[in-house]
Amino acid sequence: MHSTGRRSAEGAPHIVWDWNGTLFHDIDAVISATNAAFAEIGLAPITLARYRELYCVPIPRFYERLLGRLPSQAEWDHMDSVFHRHYVDHHIRCGLADGAEALLAGWQEAGRTQSIMSMYQHDDLVPLVRGFGIERRFVRVEGRTGPSGGSKAEHMVRHLAGLDGVGAGRTVVIGDAVDDAVAAARVGARAVLYTGGSHSRESLAAAGVPVVDSLEQAVAEAERLVG
């Protein structure tokens, strides 16, 4: 039986989780890999505070803020390759964000749904999520396919369209980047931004959506918005 448009629009409360910097606390690995990529083109190491102050997507724009110019395609390809190689070496020591497992279980057990939409490569994301034993909490786990460096918005359109019975009006995107709020706005969903990842609180506040300092606060805000 097909759902009616009205039922589909209402749906159950749904969270679309970001992975890197949100559920997966990998900011230390990101900084290490970023500095390895910077070293390849003679840039000085960057601190976490400076990274959060300058970070933006598309990622070549982030490098432009540091270089004073957009990197050439050859520079971008090289830095991207170095970043991912070093990230893979470092991220194996990273874990889930504080309280993530209990929050995921609680949301699911309350009869609500959730999914992951990440710009991390899909074929790498799925086994990583599975390895933490949390895959069963999600109706879909979806990572990026295609080249890196772009915005999440178009990926979010496809992600939400592929979720049966999930309506944008009762969906909240929880992520650590302004781009998560942009992606949410593209599909008509709400957004809550978390300060534990790539952006400073000040830069997140510019998105005009709720900003929180813990995932527990993020879920509470999601409940307020669409519960």
Side-chain angles (χ1 to χ4, degrees):
M1 178 182 294
H2 294 288
S3 298
T4 65
R6 181 174 176 81
R7 285 183 63 191
S8 178
E10 292 174 350
H14 183 84
I15 291 175
V16 179
W17 291 95
D18 175 55
W19 179 248
N20 302 94
T22 304
L23 286 176
F24 188 47
H25 186 67
D26 64 345
I27 191 64
D28 292 338
V30 168
I31 295 299
S32 295
T34 297
N35 283 330
F38 285 179
E40 291 287 320
I41 61 167
L43 284 176
I46 190 171
T47 64
L48 173 58
R50 183 69 171 157
Y51 180 94
R52 285 175 166 164
E53 177 186 345
L54 295 177
Y55 182 78
C56 63
V57 295
I59 296 172
R61 294 289 181 185
F62 170 52
Y63 289 133
E64 181 182 28
R65 292 181 174 188
L66 291 155
L67 290 168
R69 60 175 176 80
L70 277 171
S72 68
Q73 187 63 49
E75 286 174 326
W76 161 249
D77 289 343
H78 183 59
M79 286 191 293
D80 191 46
S81 174
V82 171
F83 174 90
H84 284 98
R85 187 171 73 248
H86 283 268
Y87 178 82
V88 167
D89 289 341
H90 286 88
H91 88 288
I92 56 175
R93 294 189 290 275
C94 299
L96 296 176
D98 286 346
E101 290 179 81
L103 290 166
L104 293 172
W107 185 267
Q108 181 187 43
E109 289 161 5
R112 299 157 175 163
T113 59
Q114 55 200 334
S115 59
I116 293 175
M117 173 66 248
S118 172
M119 294 299 282
Y120 194 47
Q121 177 68 30
H122 181 78
D123 290 344
D124 296 324
L125 172 68
V126 172
L128 190 53
V129 173
R130 188 171 294 150
F132 282 110
I134 58 174
E135 186 181 23
R136 68 189 186 281
R137 303 298 183 192
F138 306 102
V139 295
R140 177 170 296 183
V141 174
E142 189 170 8
R144 171 184 53 80
T145 56
S148 63
S151 171
K152 183 179 280 189
E154 292 305 321
H155 296 273
M156 187 66 72
V157 171
R158 291 190 294 271
H159 180 76
L160 209 63
L163 297 177
D164 188 37
V166 173
R170 299 202 71 191
T171 294
V172 177
V173 176
I174 298 179
D176 70 315
V178 172
D179 192 48
D180 291 299
V182 172
R186 177 70 65 88
V187 297
R190 306 292 189 91
V192 177
L193 300 181
Y194 164 59
T195 60
S198 58
H199 280 27
S200 67
R201 170 174 276 278
E202 292 73 21
S203 61
L204 292 176
V209 302
V211 177
V212 299
D213 297 316
S214 72
L215 294 189
E216 184 177 11
Q217 292 171 344
V219 170
E221 193 66 24
E223 290 177 337
R224 185 185 71 80
L225 291 170
V226 300

